[in-house]
Amino acid sequence: MQKQTRPAYLTVPNDLSYLPGIQAFAAEFARMAGFEASEIQMTLLALEEAVVNVVKHSFEPDEIATYQLIFEPTTAGIEIVVKDKGLPFAPSLVPEYTAPADIDDTVGSGLGSFLMKKSVDKIEFHNLGRDGKELHLVKHLPCKSIVEYGDASNLALFPKPTAEHGAGEAKRAFTIRLMEPSESFEVSRLFYRAYGYSYGIDSIYYPDRFEQLHKDGSIISVVTVDEDGTIAGHFALVKDSPDSRIAEAAMAVVAPVFRGQGCQNAMMARLLEEARKEGLAGVYSKAVTNHIYAQKAGEKGGFKRVAVVAGLIPADRSFKGIHSELSQRESVAYGYFVIANPSGIVIYPPQHHRAFVEKIYRNLGLERTVGPVAEKTPVQEDASALTTTVVPTYNRAVIEVEKYGGNILSELRMGLKDLCVRKIDQIVLYLPLEDPYTGAMCSDCEALGFFIAGILPFFRHGDLLILQYLNNVPIDYSKIQIASEAGREILAYVKDHDPNVPSR
């Protein structure tokens, strides 16, 4: 049973003889957090690899120094942060592990890194500039997935619709209200029946975890309820962090008999009410582009297109059990709904994309002043601050630049190389639009193979310029469907700047 565990902090000399003590402490911390022996061993395996990497690669052989270990309880388990101020780490220098062809063959290099990735649920690498770097290991408590509960007959996939989005169905009475955390099981079952295991936000398949996310405020859900009190639809605001100024409208599902009844529009309207109560600056969405129904629903609710990201979703994870498998990775159209419009915000778009960026802001109705961009990339001695996050379920990654330093190009180049070597299909790059260096940096990033996607206002550190990279992933832009004229203009601009398009 999980106990109330408080954060713990260790400062450790860069000497591997301290590793047994670190592991003993970590094991007890994990045990107090509710983990059983097998899961604790997996966590210790990942932690050992992380500590060995820091001690061996972050410091000179004879250097006497220390590094920090932070153990934190989370909603779903624990997070261990390994923090140091040693030498920069280049993930691309860690070889990829290839399993031996025969049991008697010698095990190749890279096994430790491979095991670390397999032992925990999430790994993030943060470059903090002058504050060093951090490796985050996240381990979730084991909990039952929806398929481990009860009668399997209640989990049969919904049949494919015979009429387009319920056209011709008799009108049904329903109400829209906030979801109670205790209803997580019923919503989880609804998602499984609609998507199988193909939905990208995995917490939806674990009712206990999904319930806890509502209790701590990370997710705010509304549901459609029929006359019998059965939940027939769900929509949610998903926050990236507790202090986020915007939230994503996501996790939408409607039972087949209620499609075409106006449930989704009604749930969206209620979500926007909740967003205003939360004091959010706006709400964004990611609509698939293999059809235009979701886009039209969003635009009817007031969402305007701000970006098109190509190949974001693997073809076999889109609407499994509802639509046929797609012929290419699915692209998404970002939409944005304005709630707050403060004045005085200055942005610095690159000169060659300035007209494109300004047009998106005008269409949104957001006030922005365009400032003079820096003519050159950063030359200051400060180190860059950026975060790289890999999303295994989508085989994609996000690189977010928080601060430019003199080493920014080398950091981006090494990070991109690492992700490509790991065969990550799609990479999104966030550049801070409120930084004068973004104008110059954009061109350097495009020289690496990135290309424009659009913008996103009020993200964690301010407005973003979104770039994207496709790692040997062909995109047929003729298969991307966009509902609005403004969205089609963004798509045409993206295609025109994609270096992978054969005509270029």
Side-chain angles (χ1 to χ4, degrees):
M1 182 175 179
Q2 186 175 10
K3 299 180 180 180
Q4 287 297 105
T5 310
R6 293 185 297 174
Y9 306 84
L10 299 180
T11 299
V12 187
N14 60 327
D15 185 332
L16 286 179
S17 63
Y18 288 89
L19 181 58
I22 293 171
Q23 290 182 305
F25 183 90
E28 182 61 20
F29 187 89
R31 186 192 66 77
M32 291 176 63
F35 287 92
E36 297 185 355
S38 61
E39 295 297 321
I40 291 174
Q41 288 304 312
M42 295 294 284
T43 305
L44 296 183
L45 181 63
L47 179 59
E48 177 180 353
E49 180 64 22
V51 167
V52 170
N53 280 340
V54 166
V55 173
K56 286 189 174 181
H57 301 297
S58 289
F59 305 99
E60 299 292 353
D62 298 324
E63 184 178 358
I64 298 175
T66 60
Y67 61 97
Q68 285 73 48
L69 292 163
I70 304 170
F71 299 82
E72 296 183 283
T74 67
T75 298
I78 60 173
E79 180 170 357
I80 302 174
V81 182
V82 184
K83 182 175 182 178
D84 72 271
K85 292 187 177 182
L87 298 170
F89 172 62
S92 58
L93 297 181
V94 178
E96 282 292 295
Y97 172 67
T98 302
D102 188 85
I103 192 170
D104 295 323
D105 290 347
T106 302
V107 176
S109 58
L111 176 60
S113 180
F114 173 80
L115 291 175
M116 181 170 66
K117 297 170 187 175
K118 295 295 184 182
S119 301
V120 294
D121 295 288
K122 183 179 179 182
I123 298 174
E124 283 189 345
F125 183 77
H126 298 252
N127 183 329
L128 305 175
R130 287 185 180 274
D131 293 326
K133 58 186 184 294
E134 295 179 350
L135 181 68
H136 291 234
L137 305 174
V138 178
K139 185 70 173 176
H140 293 156
L141 282 163
C143 54
K144 286 185 179 181
S145 74
I146 186 62
V147 298
E148 297 176 88
Y149 286 86
D151 187 357
S153 65
N154 291 324
L155 295 174
L157 293 180
F158 289 127
K160 293 181 180 180
T162 56
E164 201 172 76
H165 279 247
E169 292 279 355
K171 289 295 181 182
R172 297 171 177 267
F174 63 84
T175 57
I176 305 296
R177 61 167 172 80
L178 286 171
M179 188 194 98
E180 297 291 336
S182 60
E183 295 171 321
S184 293
F185 173 81
E186 191 172 352
V187 172
S188 180
R189 181 172 59 188
L190 179 64
F191 266 86
Y192 183 83
R193 296 194 66 195
Y195 293 102
Y197 263 132
S198 68
Y199 196 76
I201 302 178
D202 292 335
S203 59
I204 191 61
Y205 297 112
Y206 299 89
D208 291 342
R209 190 179 304 164
F210 190 50
E211 178 177 351
Q212 189 59 46
L213 290 170
H214 285 83
K215 289 180 178 179
D216 70 17
S218 298
I219 297 178
I220 300 172
S221 292
V222 298
V223 290
T224 295
V225 183
D226 69 12
E227 291 179 300
D228 297 327
T230 301
I231 292 177
H234 173 272
F235 217 156
L237 292 175
V238 181
K239 291 184 178 180
D240 185 71
S241 63
D243 59 348
S244 292
R245 291 185 289 173
I246 60 176
E248 181 182 359
M251 307 178 85
V253 65
V254 177
V257 294
F258 275 87
R259 291 176 192 153
Q261 306 285 317
C263 303
Q264 187 160 323
N265 290 339
M267 288 190 292
M268 174 60 78
R270 180 60 188 271
L271 278 182
L272 294 177
E273 289 181 19
E274 296 302 319
R276 291 186 179 94
K277 292 178 183 177
E278 287 283 306
L280 297 179
V283 176
Y284 72 101
S285 64
K286 300 172 186 172
V288 295
T289 60
N290 67 312
H291 62 73
I292 61 174
Y293 306 116
Q295 297 173 52
K296 282 188 172 181
E299 285 155 15
K300 186 175 181 180
F303 282 73
K304 304 289 182 66
R305 296 298 139 206
V306 294
V308 173
V309 179
L312 191 73
I313 305 172
D316 62 354
R317 290 189 65 90
S318 296
F319 300 103
K320 188 173 289 184
I322 298 180
H323 296 286
S324 300
E325 186 172 312
L326 303 177
S327 60
Q328 65 178 3
R329 284 184 66 98
E330 174 73 294
S331 301
V332 298
Y334 278 50
Y336 188 84
F337 183 91
V338 175
I339 295 177
N341 187 11
S343 60
I345 296 177
V346 182
I347 59 171
Y348 302 89
Q351 187 61 38
H352 58 294
H353 293 313
R354 175 172 174 170
F356 170 72
V357 169
E358 287 184 312
K359 189 169 186 178
I360 295 176
Y361 277 109
R362 284 198 302 272
N363 187 47
L364 283 175
L366 279 179
E367 297 178 15
R368 293 293 185 270
T369 299
V370 177
V373 300
E375 295 181 0
K376 297 181 179 179
T377 53
V379 294
Q380 64 263 36
E381 295 181 359
D382 289 353
S384 306
L386 53 87
T387 299
T388 301
T389 304
V390 176
V391 186
T393 52
Y394 280 5
N395 197 34
R396 68 178 182 89
V398 177
I399 304 174
E400 182 180 354
V401 176
E402 300 171 17
K403 185 183 71 172
Y404 296 119
N407 64 339
I408 183 62
L409 276 177
S410 61
E411 289 284 345
L412 285 174
R413 189 177 292 109
M414 286 192 300
L416 178 61
K417 179 182 177 182
D418 171 55
L419 295 170
C420 289
V421 166
R422 292 162 63 182
K423 296 181 174 60
I424 300 298
D425 288 334
Q426 203 273 358
I427 304 161
V428 169
L429 174 62
Y430 292 155
L431 300 181
L433 257 179
E434 295 177 45
D435 190 309
Y437 283 117
T438 286
M441 274 303 307
C442 181
S443 295
D444 291 323
C445 294
E446 288 170 328
L448 296 176
F450 287 95
F451 60 102
I452 192 75
I455 68 163
L456 184 60
F458 295 113
F459 202 66
R460 279 191 294 268
H461 302 286
D463 290 9
L464 297 178
L465 182 70
I466 305 177
L467 303 183
Q468 54 191 321
Y469 185 97
L470 296 172
N471 185 18
N472 295 313
V473 176
I475 295 293
D476 183 349
Y477 282 87
S478 68
K479 295 181 179 179
I480 299 176
Q481 301 183 52
I482 303 292
S484 69
E485 179 61 30
R488 288 191 291 272
E489 289 181 3
I490 293 174
L491 175 64
Y493 194 86
V494 168
K495 177 185 177 183
D496 187 53
H497 289 80
D498 182 353
N500 306 288
V501 173
S503 60
R504 290 182 58 83

